Amino acid sequence: MDNILLQYNIGDVFLLLFGLTLLGVLVLRSRKVLSLHAGVFGLLFVLTPVGSLGIAEGSLLSEPLAYKFLGLVLVLASPILYTTARR
């Protein structure tokens, strides 16, 4: 079990959680909830120290800064989604 878990970093865990919870949010069909979801995960990616995002053997993204840029995109896109949402 440890050998499997050592192949991934905390960014991969956040990315997996983002994808799984996104499925639950999409069921609600609310763009406001979707924007809040994206904003929270964006903040998680941005505020996570780069040392925790070190590249592991089976890592999903190639650079630790890729997780930061993904978080920045989510943080910047979430207010736009929220203001354009009707419900």
Side-chain angles (χ1 to χ4, degrees):
M1 186 69 172
D2 287 338
N3 291 336
I4 294 170
L5 294 177
L6 288 175
Q7 295 178 2
Y8 303 103
N9 59 21
I10 194 71
D12 295 333
V13 173
F14 286 156
L15 208 55
L16 178 67
L17 283 174
F18 177 71
L20 290 176
T21 55
L22 184 64
L23 294 174
V25 168
L26 289 176
V27 171
L28 296 174
R29 294 184 167 203
S30 172
R31 283 181 55 186
K32 286 189 178 184
V33 175
L34 178 67
S35 68
L36 292 173
H37 176 260
V40 167
F41 272 96
L43 284 175
L44 272 176
F45 282 121
V46 170
L47 296 177
T48 303
V50 176
S52 299
L53 298 173
I55 299 304
E57 187 177 311
S59 186
L60 296 173
L61 297 178
S62 61
E63 293 289 326
L65 287 178
Y67 292 104
K68 297 286 186 178
F69 287 132
L70 175 66
L72 187 62
V73 167
L74 289 174
V75 166
L76 293 176
S78 63
I80 296 168
L81 281 172
Y82 191 83
T83 56
T84 59
R86 290 191 182 137
R87 59 179 185 116

